[in-house]
Amino acid sequence: MALADPAVWRDMQSYLCRYHGELCRQWFDELEPMRLDGGILEITARNSTQINYLQQRCRDPFTEAAQNITGALVVVNFIGPNGATTPQGGPTRSTGDLGSDELLLSPDHTFANFVVGPGNQLACAAAKAVSEQLGRAYNPLFIHGGVGLGKTHLLQAICHQINDAHADATTYYVSCDTFMNEFMQCVQNGQMHTFHQRYRHVDLLMIDDIHFLTNRERTQEEFFHTFNTLYQNDKQIVLSSDSPPSEIPQLEERLISRFNWGLVTRVDQPCYETRVAIVQKKAELRGLPLPNDVVYFIAAKIESNTRELEGAITKVQSLAALRQLPIELKLAQQALGDQQTIVVNPQPSIQNIIDAVTNYYGVKLADLQSKRRHRSITIPRQVCMHLARKRTRYSLEEIGGYFGGRDHTTVMHACRTIEGRAQSDVSFAAQLDEIDEQLSLASNN
Ligand code: ADP
Ligand code: MG
């Protein structure tokens, strides 16, 4: 059993910062590598919320970092402070004996990290009141509003608050989908007892996106009884929805009226000042130094919702990481596409593509043509293939031939990989745009 090498850990942190900056949080500083044993690198986290979150959201990138730094087939595992591999006394203890599908709590979604402004102050105050007096403040609490405006964040904040202050309270936090699926499953398997046990014996039931109950008559009926049981026992119910109760299509009248018994409150779009504060808060959580002019620029440019504000921060962060430059206004403007539009040359040459890509990633053509499989080479190589496919008329075979005699299936795979990644990863999509832009500039000369 060898203690993990601190230098390896430091290098892993820089790797994560450079290639997965949007994932990194300040609280990662609290993580500690414990031991590297039998190909498993164990990293300790502080509590079960962190462990759950890391296991589900961060294991792959951490493993990727560990493999790149050590050059060995290491797998990362997150454990508790006393070596527990499965979280002990989880934050949300569910009842019943079936495996349950509770929603994953993000350690970021606390009240402390929620920025209060005119658009959400009532909803936030209500959520706090509820978490201080379960079942006695507003019951139910019904939060509605458009996407990305903080409904899920508030629900999770209530959960965190209850876990911290009332460790003995039983909470159950699920999506409406889970409620519907578990109901159907229990009906089919004759396990209604388990279902009731799970949903009717909690101190706090939270269902996210309850508007999906639309049209589901049997589930609505079951939910009606769940609601009544909890309500009669002074148990807290918190719901979120994209619209107020009366505007959820095909929702039974008796449910609409019950949803209105407690407090129905709306979250609205954040105003400019709130957006500024949100950008500052998100940057702080990521440990990202953002100069004020960049903060103001992002807050002014992105008006729609908070999720997109975060996406904009990610784009700026990735471009800076990639170019190894400090974050400045000019870079932010580039990252968010705030430049004069450029006339695109429809057919650059392969040489133009190679120049743009090798410049951008700081690699050599010989590396791209070699057999090397390190990530720092495979990505530029795949980007070349993708751009050649997209911007030139060369066939798959010709492209493969150019990049080290690879066959057409390899080129096809490269194109799919790049397109897939661009769809799921905004920062990578921003990189591609950036290279495409360089390409247009170059091929215009
Ligand atoms: P919704 O559930 O309403 O679609 P979310 O709660 O998922 O929206 O919010 C989207 C993102 O925006 C989350 O990362 C959340 O933390 C963030 N967010 C929304 N409102 C705020 C706020 N007032 N302060 C800080 N972060 C916010
Ligand atoms: Mg949500």
Side-chain angles (χ1 to χ4, degrees):
M1 190 193 297
L3 272 185
D5 181 349
V8 167
W9 176 234
R10 265 198 311 278
D11 289 348
M12 275 179 66
Q13 286 174 306
S14 331
Y15 181 97
L16 286 167
C17 217
R18 180 150 155 73
Y19 294 104
H20 299 279
E22 76 288 350
L23 207 74
C24 295
R25 291 293 177 272
Q26 281 233 292
W27 59 267
F28 283 10
D29 288 350
E30 296 167 13
L31 303 177
E32 260 184 276
M34 279 317 280
R35 57 171 172 261
L36 180 56
D37 192 12
I40 297 180
L41 173 62
E42 288 186 334
I43 297 179
T44 3
R46 194 159 33 159
N47 53 44
S48 50
T49 310
Q50 287 184 355
I51 301 174
N52 281 335
Y53 183 82
L54 290 163
Q55 282 290 103
Q56 289 199 38
R57 290 287 156 80
C58 308
R59 217 168 153 230
D60 289 351
F62 272 73
T63 293
E64 177 193 310
Q67 295 185 351
N68 270 289
I69 299 306
T70 60
L73 267 182
V74 181
V75 176
V76 168
N77 220 354
F78 298 97
I79 57 172
N82 26 18
T85 39
T86 44
Q88 293 297 311
T92 38
R93 279 157 306 282
S94 52
T95 53
D97 43 22
L98 279 179
S100 79
D101 250 335
E102 263 189 285
L103 285 170
L104 180 66
L105 285 189
S106 160
D108 284 354
H109 292 162
T110 59
F111 283 122
N113 292 337
F114 191 81
V115 174
V116 180
N120 60 30
Q121 62 188 14
L122 287 180
C124 182
K128 282 187 176 159
V130 158
S131 61
E132 276 155 21
Q133 303 191 290
L134 273 192
R136 285 179 292 126
Y138 309 105
N139 207 11
L141 172 62
F142 190 102
I143 302 177
H144 68 94
V147 287
L149 298 182
K151 302 181 297 294
T152 295
H153 188 138
L154 283 175
L155 261 55
Q156 298 201 359
I158 295 176
C159 247
H160 282 299
Q161 185 66 28
I162 298 296
N163 292 335
D164 290 349
H166 306 277
D168 53 333
T170 320
T171 65
Y172 200 41
Y173 167 52
V174 291
S175 66
C176 190
D177 274 340
T178 298
F179 182 83
M180 299 192 293
N181 292 340
E182 289 190 349
F183 174 62
M184 293 310 295
Q185 239 180 30
C186 291
V187 169
Q188 277 161 13
N189 303 337
Q191 289 175 307
M192 282 317 289
H193 176 72
T194 311
F195 187 83
H196 291 160
Q197 195 59 28
R198 176 170 297 171
Y199 283 93
R200 298 186 185 186
H201 295 267
V202 293
D203 300 304
L204 166 66
L205 175 64
M206 297 211 285
I207 302 191
D208 213 348
D209 295 325
I210 194 75
H211 53 269
F212 288 119
L213 270 189
T214 177
N215 246 331
R216 304 285 291 252
E217 281 167 32
R218 278 193 72 187
T219 322
Q220 286 188 23
E221 157 111 37
E222 180 62 33
F223 183 68
F224 177 76
H225 296 299
T226 306
F227 186 104
N228 289 342
T229 307
L230 290 172
Y231 187 86
Q232 279 153 17
N233 293 310
D234 290 331
K235 303 303 186 191
Q236 182 71 46
I237 301 152
V238 180
L239 305 167
S240 82
S241 159
D242 69 354
S243 46
S246 58
E247 290 172 27
I248 300 176
Q250 324 258 355
L251 185 68
E252 287 180 23
E253 208 43 60
R254 56 185 185 169
L255 277 178
I256 298 178
S257 93
R258 269 165 182 72
F259 290 171
N260 282 306
W261 277 357
L263 182 73
V264 174
T265 175
R266 193 167 87 174
V267 282
D268 277 319
Q269 292 204 345
C271 62
Y272 174 71
E273 286 75 10
T274 311
R275 296 201 300 276
V276 167
I278 291 175
V279 173
Q280 282 165 338
K281 174 61 82 183
K282 298 290 173 190
E284 178 196 320
L285 286 176
R286 296 182 188 199
L288 187 71
L290 276 192
N292 280 339
D293 53 356
V294 172
V295 172
Y296 301 147
F297 170 70
I298 297 176
K301 187 157 168 81
I302 312 287
E303 294 175 307
S304 45
N305 71 50
T306 308
R307 193 167 295 152
E308 288 185 15
L309 275 182
E310 291 195 87
I313 300 173
T314 300
K315 281 190 184 168
V316 174
Q317 183 178 12
S318 314
L319 188 59
L322 197 83
R323 298 235 190 115
Q324 308 257 296
L325 286 174
I327 296 181
E328 280 168 3
L329 185 59
K330 198 157 157 278
L331 182 122
Q333 287 168 336
Q334 277 182 16
L336 302 186
D338 212 41
Q339 289 174 308
Q340 328 87 303
T341 35
I342 291 152
V343 187
V344 175
N345 180 337
Q347 259 250 42
S349 66
I350 284 237
Q351 191 57 52
N352 291 149
I353 292 175
I354 289 167
D355 289 344
V357 173
T358 49
N359 257 333
Y360 193 79
Y361 288 102
V363 292
K364 297 197 196 72
L365 173 59
D367 288 330
L368 297 184
Q369 292 178 325
S370 74
K371 300 273 175 235
R372 291 185 56 197
R373 289 178 155 276
H374 190 272
R375 187 187 163 90
S376 63
I377 305 296
T378 52
I379 290 180
R381 185 187 292 135
Q382 291 181 329
V383 169
C384 276
M385 293 179 176
H386 156 83
L387 287 173
R389 186 69 185 149
K390 187 171 128 197
R391 302 283 299 268
T392 73
R393 299 215 184 131
Y394 290 107
S395 67
L396 292 169
E397 283 80 6
E398 287 171 312
I399 296 170
Y402 204 90
F403 292 101
R406 290 171 159 86
D407 67 9
H408 74 281
T409 54
T410 308
V411 181
M412 232 154 58
H413 171 73
C415 295
R416 284 206 198 107
T417 307
I418 295 297
E419 281 149 27
R421 187 152 167 222
Q423 275 186 4
S424 64
D425 177 347
V426 279
S427 65
F428 184 69
Q431 289 178 23
L432 275 188
D433 287 348
E434 179 73 15
I435 300 171
D436 225 347
E437 207 172 278
Q438 294 301 318
L439 194 54
S440 308
L441 283 175
S443 50
N444 272 340
N445 293 333

